[in-house]
Amino acid sequence: MTLLELTVQGRADRLRNVMLERELDGFVVVDPPSVRWFTGFTGSYGLAVISAEAVVLATDGRYATQAPAQLEAAGSDASVVIASDLIASGADVLTGAARVALEGDVISWNQQRQWASALADSELVAVSGLLRELRSVKDPAELARIEAAAALADAALAATEALRMPGTTERQLGLALDDAMRAAGASGPAYETIVASGPNAALPHARPSDRAFETGDLLIVDVGALVDGYRSDMTRSFVIGGPDAANDVACKILPLVTEAQAAAVAAVAPGVEAKAVDDACRSIITEAGLGDAFRHGTGHGVGLDIHELPSIRKDNAAILQAGQVLTVEPGVYLPGVGGVRVEDLVVVTDSGCRPLTLSPKLSL
């Protein structure tokens, strides 16, 4: 597949603007997705140091060839330092820095102590969430990768339709979905594919088992693809045997969740509080007497990580911004019986939102 060229140019400057406001002289980035976002480096071992003057990627000898090539391809002006002690190398860049930020929500206690020793003359400041906030608004190249991943998941769901029948096991369908995404060009699944049938569908994050589908089962399929590091996320719910096999429970909760999800998608727009999107669907489910069966937030951002900002939950007053990509996924779960979840991935536009996942939803 052909995708828009991705460049990291300008990203360090966005962070530097915030650093200036907070009187920070340096920022140490250790979370691998954020290291990649700033530099283009995809290796499993490395850190980035950002100061007013420079961006430096420190990694080890395994990436001596890969790192410079990836940074050049991503349009990064970062320098690459190959070292065995990454913290010492990073600290060298920050010599004389008065205040240095560490990722408070990522860095370990042990790492903090090592940085405190290496930067004994600097004040270390824990900063949480800032890099995730910067990453939450996608540029066109990022959006193109997420949209391509969504299309591959849509295609895989369509290609495996014949397996949604009595006798197929959850594991068989899950593997078929993963294989279909890879065959179509995905790097792999965006996360462990969820296939949950019958009573297992009452578990929001059930893992595929050897349980065979039975006629009348509610079936939840939660599937996403990975394209050039970026992820998609989608859930559809079905009745094994088709609409004619739906029992009274399915006939109640599947249309209810579908209606609630549509209301929440309609609420997504720039300037809207995240909790307003949650309320748009939660109120409908609650009014139907099933509020306690909706046991999770309504959604989350998606990008290099499968769970990013913004978090769409009832206590989050964060304001949605154009360019953010997020899920809208209400669900109802009845222990011992089954469950339904309907999820779309949408991008916030200037006037509302646009769905990226396009698979049809079951209508009863």
Side-chain angles (χ1 to χ4, degrees):
M1 66 185 72
T2 301
L3 299 170
L4 285 174
E5 183 178 356
L6 190 149
T7 178
V8 301
Q9 291 178 358
R11 293 178 179 176
D13 287 337
R14 289 171 58 189
L15 177 59
R16 287 186 178 113
N17 290 337
V18 182
M19 290 168 59
L20 187 63
E21 294 172 359
R22 302 189 184 186
E23 299 181 337
L24 297 170
D25 302 299
F27 206 114
V28 177
V29 183
V30 298
D31 188 31
S34 291
V35 171
R36 178 175 185 166
W37 190 78
F38 278 112
T39 68
F41 175 64
T42 67
S44 61
Y45 187 62
L47 60 84
V49 176
I50 298 169
S51 69
E53 298 80 23
V55 178
V56 174
L57 171 72
T59 186
D60 66 16
R62 292 173 295 172
Y63 299 108
T65 300
Q66 175 182 329
Q70 288 189 321
L71 269 59
E72 181 180 2
S76 173
D77 59 2
S79 302
V80 177
V81 174
I82 302 300
S84 57
D85 187 339
L86 301 193
I87 291 178
S89 296
D92 287 343
V93 181
L94 296 169
T95 300
R99 300 182 80 235
V100 175
L102 303 179
E103 294 178 274
D105 51 348
V106 174
I107 202 161
S108 70
W109 172 252
N110 185 56
Q111 288 174 321
Q112 189 277 337
R113 290 174 64 86
Q114 289 177 293
W115 280 105
S117 176
L119 294 171
D121 295 328
S122 301
E123 178 189 357
L124 299 185
V125 181
V127 176
S128 298
L130 173 59
L131 303 188
R132 297 177 187 272
E133 289 175 12
L134 293 175
R135 286 170 41 200
S136 74
V137 176
K138 274 50 179 186
D139 64 32
E142 292 180 291
L143 181 57
R145 284 154 176 76
I146 297 170
E147 193 159 8
L152 292 178
D154 279 330
L157 191 64
T160 56
E161 179 181 3
L163 292 176
R164 298 195 296 266
M165 61 179 293
T168 300
T169 68
E170 295 171 350
R171 196 183 312 276
Q172 287 172 335
L173 179 54
L175 290 172
L177 286 161
D178 292 352
D179 288 345
M181 288 187 289
R182 286 192 175 95
S187 304
Y191 47 88
E192 185 176 8
T193 300
I194 296 172
V195 178
S197 62
N200 292 344
L203 305 173
H205 274 192
R207 289 183 162 182
S209 72
D210 290 322
R211 183 185 186 278
F213 304 154
E214 300 176 6
T215 299
D217 276 348
L218 282 167
L219 171 68
I220 291 176
V221 177
D222 190 333
V223 60
L226 180 66
V227 172
D228 196 23
Y230 287 83
R231 302 167 193 272
S232 69
D233 194 354
M234 170 181 67
T235 305
R236 294 293 184 264
S237 293
F238 306 94
V239 177
I240 297 299
D244 291 343
N247 59 25
D248 290 344
V249 172
C251 287
K252 177 179 180 180
I253 66 173
L254 204 152
L256 173 67
V257 174
T258 301
E259 176 192 356
Q261 197 262 353
V265 169
V268 174
V272 171
E273 291 184 337
K275 64 183 181 181
V277 178
D278 183 278
D279 182 66
C281 58
R282 194 174 300 276
S283 61
I284 291 173
I285 293 172
T286 299
E287 288 170 7
L290 291 169
D292 290 342
F294 181 8
R295 303 183 197 142
H296 52 71
T298 291
H300 53 85
V302 174
L304 289 169
D305 281 321
I306 193 57
H307 290 102
E308 295 192 348
L309 297 180
S311 180
I312 311 301
R313 60 178 194 269
K314 61 184 178 182
D315 60 349
N316 186 13
I319 302 299
L320 300 185
Q321 303 173 60
Q324 290 179 325
V325 175
L326 54 98
T327 67
V328 180
E329 50 177 308
V332 166
Y333 310 94
L334 304 176
V337 178
V340 166
R341 183 166 66 253
V342 178
E343 173 188 19
D344 279 311
L345 190 63
V346 304
V347 56
V348 183
T349 64
D350 290 337
S351 58
C353 74
R354 177 170 64 88
L356 303 180
T357 45
L358 304 176
S359 293
K361 302 176 179 74
L362 181 64
S363 177
L364 294 181

